[in-house]
Amino acid sequence: MTNKTCPQELLNLIKQFQKDEATASKLYAIMAKNIKDEKNKEIMLKMSQEEHAHSLIWKQYTKQEATPNPFKIFFYRIINYLLGYTFVIKLLEKDEYNGIKSMDCVKDYFPEIEQIIAQEKAHEDALIDMLDEERLNYTGAMVLGLNDALVELTGAIAGLTFVLMNTSLIAMSGVITGIAATLSMASSNYLAERANGNDNAIKASLYTGIAYLITVIFLTLPYLVLPNEMYITALLTMITIVITLIYAFSFYIATVKSEKVMPKFLEMATISLSVALISFLIGLIAKMCFGIEVG
């Protein structure tokens, strides 16, 4: 350990790192209790031990015990329930090591820390790669449901907006179209998975259908809550929701797969919004050509 005096500002940051490690250790131990698969449970407990070991490294410098952050534990337990433990682990580890890398002055005061943390991170990454969370085996099915719903329903609703010019009618059409498409997409995916010999074809089709249905709900919501004459506002709100959904899902997939967010986001956003624009123009042209008027 170096004999240099640690600046108070740096010491405060290290205390925060120590607290974060203690929090993660406690959180992983709690999450492990709810994991049924024994292999994953064992790995999660090892993760907890790793985080505890990290906190002890920082304790060498702070000379203090660290107590877990109860609010952070509560927040991540909710995220764990909604999005799975792999996402929580990757998110926590990403923030943790990005924070350490950003501290350029750390190695000037603690030259041994860089090597110790690198070794610990390599070991922890190996443990993370050993995890086998069931829901991640169906990300392809979720992508299929979400992407198809965004492309098809965004386009359909955008096209209907200037034909019907009434949020209630557009919402009704969107809900009917969306539910029918959900059933169609789920059943089609089931048949495709069965043809490929997947024994979990039913579960895969459920993931696809649920992702599609959730997207339907979000996209039709603006038309359900806004007055009939505010169809333009509803359309713009829907587009905002589309962009938000695409980014949120891209962030989730990129995080659990340790990939970059923007390429996925830009690809899905470009496709969905392009289809929406084309459908919007088709609806406008159809209204002009056929002289459709809705009272």
Side-chain angles (χ1 to χ4, degrees):
M1 187 184 299
T2 180
N3 292 324
K4 290 184 178 180
T5 302
C6 178
Q8 186 60 44
E9 182 180 358
L10 183 55
L11 183 60
N12 289 337
L13 285 173
I14 291 176
K15 287 180 180 178
Q16 184 59 52
F17 284 141
Q18 182 186 5
K19 190 176 186 68
D20 288 343
E21 301 284 9
T23 300
S25 177
K26 179 69 173 179
L27 177 63
Y28 294 163
I30 293 172
M31 290 162 58
K33 295 179 181 179
N34 299 319
I35 297 177
K36 296 180 180 179
D37 184 89
E38 289 300 322
K39 178 186 174 183
N40 286 337
K41 182 191 291 284
E42 182 180 348
I43 293 171
M44 189 68 76
L45 289 174
K46 286 183 178 180
M47 292 282 296
S48 176
Q49 294 168 2
E50 290 284 336
E51 294 294 347
H52 179 66
H54 289 182
S55 69
L56 293 180
I57 292 174
W58 296 120
K59 184 182 176 182
Q60 298 176 47
Y61 304 105
T62 64
K63 310 299 182 184
Q64 297 177 5
E65 294 289 342
T67 56
N69 185 328
F71 300 104
K72 198 169 185 178
I73 289 176
F74 176 74
F75 172 75
Y76 277 107
R77 287 184 71 178
I78 294 175
I79 299 299
N80 171 57
Y81 178 77
L82 295 174
L83 302 177
Y85 51 80
T86 301
F87 178 77
V88 171
I89 292 171
K90 293 281 184 112
L91 196 60
L92 283 172
E93 298 303 314
K94 181 179 178 181
D95 289 343
E96 176 184 332
Y97 289 107
N98 282 343
I100 293 172
K101 287 179 181 179
S102 68
M103 293 173 60
D104 295 331
C105 59
V106 167
K107 57 186 177 183
D108 293 334
Y109 291 90
F110 316 118
E112 70 273 31
I113 279 293
E114 190 171 19
Q115 182 179 1
I116 293 173
I117 293 300
Q119 291 172 349
E120 294 289 352
K121 185 178 186 302
H123 188 195
E124 205 159 63
D125 285 344
L127 289 174
I128 293 173
D129 290 339
M130 291 170 62
L131 287 170
D132 182 23
E133 187 173 6
E134 183 185 56
R135 76 178 70 191
L136 296 185
N137 297 325
Y138 298 98
T139 53
M142 289 188 287
V143 169
L144 177 64
L146 178 74
N147 190 61
D148 273 29
L150 287 171
V151 172
E152 295 171 3
L153 203 62
T154 301
I157 293 177
L160 289 170
T161 297
F162 261 85
V163 172
L164 301 179
M165 300 175 67
N166 182 298
T167 59
S168 296
L169 294 176
I170 298 167
M172 180 182 66
S173 301
V175 169
I176 294 172
T177 302
I179 292 176
T182 297
L183 297 174
S184 174
M185 179 57 62
S187 58
S188 295
N189 190 45
Y190 169 77
L191 293 174
E193 292 293 337
R194 287 289 292 172
N196 290 330
N198 186 354
D199 294 333
N200 295 314
I202 293 179
K203 189 169 288 187
S205 65
L206 285 175
Y207 273 98
T208 298
I210 290 171
Y212 202 112
L213 185 60
I214 290 174
T215 308
V216 169
I217 293 170
F218 275 109
L219 298 194
T220 55
L221 190 60
Y223 293 90
L224 289 169
V225 300
L226 290 174
N228 290 336
E229 65 276 6
M230 295 184 66
Y231 54 91
I232 295 296
T233 302
L235 175 64
L236 295 176
T237 304
M238 183 194 72
I239 296 298
T240 302
I241 291 174
V242 167
I243 295 173
T244 303
L245 283 176
I246 292 174
Y247 184 82
F249 194 74
S250 299
F251 181 76
Y252 172 77
I253 295 297
T255 299
V256 297
K257 293 183 175 293
S258 300
E259 297 174 349
K260 293 183 178 179
V261 178
M262 289 311 294
K264 291 183 176 295
F265 169 69
L266 292 175
E267 180 182 34
M268 289 186 69
T270 299
I271 294 173
S272 297
L273 296 180
S274 295
V275 170
L277 177 61
I278 293 171
S279 299
F280 179 83
L281 294 174
I282 290 174
L284 186 59
I285 292 171
K287 178 177 173 60
M288 295 170 59
C289 291
F290 296 104
I292 299 174
E293 294 292 340
V294 178

